[in-house]
Amino acid sequence: MVLLAKTISCTTYVIALVFLAVAGTSYSQAAEDAKQFYLLGSNASGAGIMPPPGTTLVNYDFYYTGDASGKAATGILLNEGGARLDLEANVDVDADYFLKIPGALWVAPRKVLGGGFGVGVLAPFGWADISADADVFGTLTLPDGRTFTGGRSFSINDDTFNFGDPVLMAFLGWNRGNWHWKVTGLLNVPIGGYDADDVANIGFNRWAFDASGAVTWLDPTVGLEVSAVGGFTFNGENPDTDYKTGTEFHVEYAIMKHFSKQFAAGLVGFHYQQITGDSGAGATLGDFKGRVTTIGPALNYNTQIRSTPVAMSLRWYHDFNVKNRAEGDAFYFQTTIPLGASQR
C-alpha cells in the first residue's frame, strides 16, 4: 500500500529507497524502494478482538518523517538497479510522507470454525516529499548513465500525490473469557500507480501476501490490556525491475490501561526484520537486510455520534535499533465505526 510520483529526472533514483509502505505500505529500508505493503504499527490496542457482525468502516491517517545518512543513505543510493559508486560519497536523504487508508470490513452473522469470519478491503492514497543531497568524492554513476566525479555535489527534491494498490483481507477470530485470538491474511493487488523510472511509487508493481496472528488479553475488572501481533510478509518479484524483496518478519504490541469505557492510554511499538535477503538482477547490493524497532505512547477514546459508536486511537512510534533504513517518527490517527451490526 504506498506511493506514486512523477520524477524530475533519472537522478532521482538516488532517493528511491527512502520510501515506506502499507497494508502497507511501511517505512523500512532494504525492501525494494524501502517499503513493504504491510503497514507497520497498523495493529495495536485490541488487535486480537473481532469486529461485531455486520459492516465496520475503518480509516488510518498515517504520517512519517525521517532521514538517512552515512552508510544507510549510501545503501539507499546504491540499492536501485543500475547505480554504481566507486570510492566514496556522502549522501543525506529526507522524507515526509502522508498516507490515508480508508477501508471497510464485513463480519458474517454466523460462526465459521467456531469463531467469527470476516473479509475486507483497504484503498490507500497519499502524498510524499523527498529530498537528497550528495557530495561525491569518487565516481558515482546513475542509472541513466550520467557520471559524477570527485568534488561534485547535487541536490534533488520531488513530491507526489496518487493512489496505491488495494489490499484485500480475510480473518477469523475467537474469544474465551478475557482472551481473544485472530488470524489474518492480506493480499496486495498490484494495480496502483507505478512507473519504474519514478522515484516515488504508491503502487508496488508486485503481488505480496502477509499472514499474521494476533492475541489480546483484556481484563475489564482492572482495565488492563496486553495485545500482540506477529506475522510474515512474502513478496513476488517486480517484473519491471527484476527485484524480489526478501521475506519480512514483524511483531507489534500494545500495553494499555483502560481508565473507563471511553478512555485508555499506554505504550505501543513494533519490531521489523527482513529474514531473507533481496534477490534478482535489480538487487545490486545483494541481500542488504534491514531492521527497525520502535516504541511510543498511545491514547484511545470511544464516543458516540447519535446512536453510532466511534472508536479513535492516536499513536506515535519512534525508531531506534535501525539498520539499513531511514530513521524517524511515525504518527497514526485511526477511527473505527461499526454500522448496524447484525446478530449472530
Side-chain angles (χ1 to χ4, degrees):
M1 302 169 348
V2 196
L3 267 133
L4 178 258
K6 271 295 172 189
T7 177
I8 24 185
S9 73
C10 285
T11 58
T12 51
Y13 272 107
V14 173
I15 50 179
L17 292 184
V18 78
F19 268 85
L20 333 173
V22 224
T25 307
S26 193
Y27 45 95
S28 159
Q29 167 62 24
E32 186 180 16
D33 292 346
K35 64 193 183 192
Q36 61 282 338
F37 93 94
Y38 183 89
L39 188 59
L40 297 169
S42 57
N43 279 298
S45 177
I49 299 176
M50 281 289 294
T55 300
T56 297
L57 302 180
V58 296
N59 182 74
Y60 299 90
D61 290 322
F62 170 73
Y63 174 71
Y64 176 77
T65 181
D67 58 74
S69 60
K71 180 180 178 181
T74 303
I76 290 173
L77 171 62
L78 293 182
N79 210 25
E80 190 68 18
R84 188 178 75 254
L85 177 67
D86 300 319
L87 297 180
E88 185 180 357
N90 282 341
V91 183
D92 295 290
V93 176
D94 294 286
D96 291 287
Y97 174 54
F98 175 77
L99 188 68
K100 191 172 188 68
I101 311 170
L105 313 176
W106 179 80
V107 176
R110 292 188 175 87
K111 290 185 177 181
V112 176
L113 299 178
F117 169 74
V119 294
V121 61
L122 300 171
F125 61 94
W127 161 88
D129 188 344
I130 305 178
S131 60
D133 297 294
D135 298 317
V136 183
F137 302 113
T139 301
L140 170 66
T141 302
L142 295 170
D144 63 355
R146 278 180 291 175
T147 297
F148 297 86
T149 57
R152 293 289 301 276
S153 300
F154 61 91
S155 298
I156 297 166
N157 182 262
D158 194 23
D159 61 82
T160 182
F161 177 86
N162 215 300
F163 291 90
D165 298 338
V167 174
L168 306 179
M169 69 174 68
F171 46 94
L172 274 167
W174 302 265
N175 71 281
R176 177 177 297 177
N178 294 337
W179 290 94
H180 306 261
W181 304 268
K182 187 169 66 175
V183 292
T184 301
L186 302 173
L187 179 67
N188 186 74
V189 182
I191 60 174
Y194 180 85
D195 189 319
D197 292 331
D198 288 347
V199 168
N201 284 292
I202 273 205
F204 290 98
N205 202 43
R206 69 175 186 264
W207 292 91
F209 176 75
D210 185 88
S212 65
V215 60
T216 292
W217 177 81
L218 173 60
D219 187 341
T221 60
V222 296
L224 182 62
E225 176 202 342
V226 179
S227 291
V229 183
F232 295 89
T233 304
F234 306 92
N235 297 282
E237 184 175 277
N238 183 336
D240 288 356
T241 61
D242 298 321
Y243 197 114
K244 188 177 189 299
T245 296
T247 299
E248 301 157 299
F249 169 74
H250 55 87
V251 59
E252 300 154 285
Y253 68 87
I255 303 171
M256 306 293 293
K257 171 63 177 176
H258 293 255
F259 297 96
S260 67
K261 291 183 179 180
Q262 286 74 40
F263 179 71
L267 289 176
V268 293
F270 62 77
H271 177 74
Y272 163 92
Q273 185 133 5
Q274 193 172 331
I275 59 175
T276 66
D278 300 337
S279 60
T284 57
L285 281 185
D287 56 19
F288 201 58
K289 299 174 185 175
R291 71 163 185 260
V292 60
T293 305
T294 72
I295 192 170
L299 297 173
N300 294 350
Y301 181 69
N302 300 323
T303 187
Q304 222 172 287
I305 300 177
R306 296 187 177 179
S307 59
T308 302
V310 178
M312 294 175 282
S313 176
L314 182 63
R315 306 191 290 275
W316 167 31
Y317 295 86
H318 177 69
D319 294 341
F320 67 97
N321 186 33
V322 176
K323 179 181 179 182
N324 291 337
R325 54 149 280 134
E327 181 174 351
D329 296 272
F331 303 87
Y332 281 87
F333 179 66
Q334 178 183 345
T335 56
T336 306
I337 305 173
L339 302 178
S342 58
Q343 300 299 313
R344 287 193 187 275

